[in-house]
Amino acid sequence: MPTVPPAGPVGPVDSARVPRFAGLATFARLPRIEDVPAADVAVVGIPFDSGVSYRPGARFAPAAVREASRLLRPYNPALDVSPFASVQVADAGDIPVNPFNIGEAVATVEEQVGELMNTGASVVTVGGDHTLSLPLLRAAARRHGPVALLHFDAHLDTWDTYFGEPYTHGTPFRRAVEEGILDTEALSHVGTRGPLYGKADLDEDQRLGFGIVTSSDVMRRGVDEVVDQLRARIGDRPLYVSIDIDVLDPAHAPGTGTPEAGGLTSRELLEILRGLKGTRLIGGDIVEVAPAYDHADITATAASHVAYDLVSLLALRKGAAA
């Protein structure tokens, strides 16, 4: 007999029938992209960390975040949405990239994520290191034009080079500004902190067009005021969100390559993300989870919840547009 197509989105495996610790480790136990007719939102892994400047290991993040995501449930009460029932969300697997050639890896990511976006899917990426944001932004800008960027990170990532190399995890957003793929009226760092190489780092960052909300600003001013400021800067522009997990304090994310004391709590990060409800979010990434330095899956768990909220925001937007 012919297979009858499902009446609505194919959701996660039913945890009342299959224990959460059993079965395939797809994100949130969702179907693989090849098992659904089309995906509205695709979660893709990129196991690449050849652009790091300190501790490696983020190449193992997609697998760790998928494992941690087994505990995610279908209804998001904070955003009042059942993302997996509202739109079709699927796990698009991993993009295999050359670990020995950063230029080739960047080109591969741009091409393959671009192809995924061309199907109509919004993409949430689990890296990998922050080098990946450049090709992801290139692919997004080809589809949407220059995009607003909301960048959560302990660091600026707008340096020119490391050891003479222009493509590293500390340079993606300088390259993106230089290439004209960002809307320089709507660029924000959130959660920055820690020592710099010099005051010139801040001067150059400002010249590129970035506004800064430090982790201390979040603590002193509170989430609601910060959200209002960010939304005013973003406006109605297409928005890309890039989240380096080291924006969180090491107490909340020990498993990362360049930890800095004094960061956001996981609650603060999630609440700021939820404050983006109603913006023109087009996609995002979560990078720099390094499982080898993690304890009791603290960092992977935080990253899985961040990805879940990004998926939920995209489901709200896509569902409203349908």
Side-chain angles (χ1 to χ4, degrees):
M1 294 180 63
T3 301
V4 178
V10 180
V13 173
D14 184 353
S15 62
R17 302 184 62 179
V18 180
R20 295 184 183 279
F21 45 80
L24 293 175
T26 57
F27 181 79
R29 310 183 81 202
L30 286 160
R32 301 176 303 169
I33 199 165
E34 56 264 39
D35 295 331
V36 298
D40 299 297
V41 180
V43 180
V44 65
I46 309 180
F48 173 86
D49 63 5
S50 300
V52 300
S53 58
Y54 194 51
R55 302 192 302 196
R59 66 183 61 183
F60 299 108
V65 173
R66 286 188 177 102
E67 282 292 338
S69 75
R70 287 178 179 271
L71 199 57
L72 295 172
R73 298 176 180 87
Y75 175 63
N76 186 334
L79 289 167
D80 189 23
V81 64
S82 297
F84 311 139
S86 302
V87 298
Q88 183 62 66
V89 188
D91 189 318
D94 288 346
I95 295 176
V97 294
N98 188 337
F100 301 110
N101 187 318
I102 293 178
E104 181 182 322
V106 165
T108 300
V109 171
E110 181 181 353
E111 177 185 4
Q112 294 199 20
V113 171
E115 290 175 358
L116 194 54
M117 290 178 179
N118 286 340
T119 68
S122 295
V123 179
V124 174
T125 301
V126 179
D129 74 55
H130 226 151
T131 311
L132 300 171
S133 290
L134 177 61
L136 295 171
L137 285 166
R138 286 174 176 171
R142 276 209 315 271
R143 188 165 183 82
H144 300 278
V147 298
L149 173 68
L150 186 52
H151 170 222
F152 292 86
D153 203 322
H155 311 98
L156 301 173
D157 289 2
T158 52
W159 286 277
D160 190 16
T161 62
Y162 274 121
F163 293 91
E165 292 298 318
Y167 299 108
T168 76
H169 75 158
T171 64
F173 303 119
R174 178 182 287 249
R175 298 288 91 80
V177 170
E178 291 170 347
E179 293 179 14
I181 58 179
L182 296 180
D183 185 332
T184 55
E185 297 297 315
L187 308 179
S188 297
H189 302 298
V190 180
T192 55
R193 62 191 187 275
L196 297 170
Y197 295 107
K199 191 174 185 300
D201 292 344
L202 294 172
D203 296 336
E204 291 188 20
D205 189 78
Q206 185 179 39
R207 180 179 57 80
L208 293 170
F210 281 88
I212 294 178
V213 178
T214 68
S215 60
S216 295
D217 291 332
V218 175
M219 181 270 292
R220 295 181 187 282
R221 293 162 49 195
V223 165
D224 291 343
E225 184 179 329
V226 166
V227 167
D228 288 345
Q229 175 185 335
L230 296 174
R231 290 183 68 107
R233 191 170 178 88
I234 294 163
D236 192 40
R237 298 170 175 89
L239 171 65
Y240 187 90
V241 176
S242 182
I243 302 163
D244 186 324
I245 205 65
D246 74 21
V247 74
L248 299 180
D249 189 88
H252 299 267
T256 192
T258 48
E260 303 280 358
L264 303 188
T265 67
S266 52
R267 179 176 58 243
E268 287 170 332
L269 174 57
L270 291 170
E271 286 301 318
I272 294 173
L273 288 175
R274 292 162 185 168
L276 300 177
K277 182 177 180 180
T279 60
R280 288 180 60 196
L281 181 67
I282 59 165
D285 60 59
I286 305 98
V287 297
E288 301 285 355
V289 174
Y293 313 110
D294 208 0
H295 307 291
D297 300 328
I298 294 172
T299 314
T301 298
S304 72
H305 280 264
V306 167
Y308 178 64
D309 271 16
L310 286 176
V311 168
S312 297
L313 288 166
L314 288 166
L316 280 167
R317 176 162 173 75
K318 291 241 171 183

